[in-house]
């Protein structure tokens, strides 16, 4: 079982077989993420082969982890083939979020 936790809360949890690993980051299927802890962020970045990523702030017990999670709403053409699976809206975590 794979989990993402921050500030004592499980933010995402899923069977390991449903995780997509891209460049060492574990991406969780959108339905495995507890969206009550996520708030859409205005922050965006661009990857030369995956496309534009959007971010979530993670909010637990009035503490905010700014841009602590990211996803690709519309991966660039060819990137899905490179990964081997459609990873649109799969969520990855960083910035102190523990993924195990």
């Amino acid at each position: 079982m794979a989990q993402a936790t921050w500030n004592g809360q499980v933010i995402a949890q899923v069977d390991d077989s449903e995780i997509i690993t891209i460049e060492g980051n574990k991406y969780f299927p959108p339905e495995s993420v507890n969206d009550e802890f996520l708030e859409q962020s205005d922050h965006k970045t661009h990857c030369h082969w995956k496309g534009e990523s959007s971010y979530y702030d993670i909010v637990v017990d009035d503490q905010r982890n700014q841009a602590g999670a990211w996803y690709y709403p519309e991966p660039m053409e060819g990137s899905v083939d490179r990964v081997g699976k459609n990873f649109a809206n799969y969520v990855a975590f960083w910035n102190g979020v523990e993924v195990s």
Side-chain angles (χ1 to χ4, degrees), residues 13-83:
Q13 183 171 314
V14 71
D15 186 87
D16 286 330
S17 65
E18 296 184 53
I19 292 288
I20 298 174
T21 302
I22 305 172
E23 298 177 321
N25 295 302
K26 292 183 178 184
Y27 285 74
F28 289 74
E31 63 275 3
S32 71
V33 180
N34 190 342
D35 59 5
E36 79 175 87
F37 299 115
L38 302 181
E39 290 183 9
Q40 191 68 51
S41 169
D42 291 335
H43 188 72
K44 299 205 183 297
T45 58
H46 185 82
C47 172
H48 69 279
W49 70 274
K50 291 184 298 257
E52 185 174 86
S53 61
S54 294
Y55 284 75
Y56 293 113
D57 290 348
I58 302 169
V59 181
V60 175
D61 296 331
D62 296 325
Q63 292 189 6
R64 181 174 300 270
N65 183 336
Q66 291 189 313
W70 77 93
Y71 64 99
Y72 292 88
E74 296 179 26
M76 284 179 64
E77 187 174 329
S79 64
V80 171
D81 291 337
R82 183 173 173 177
V83 170

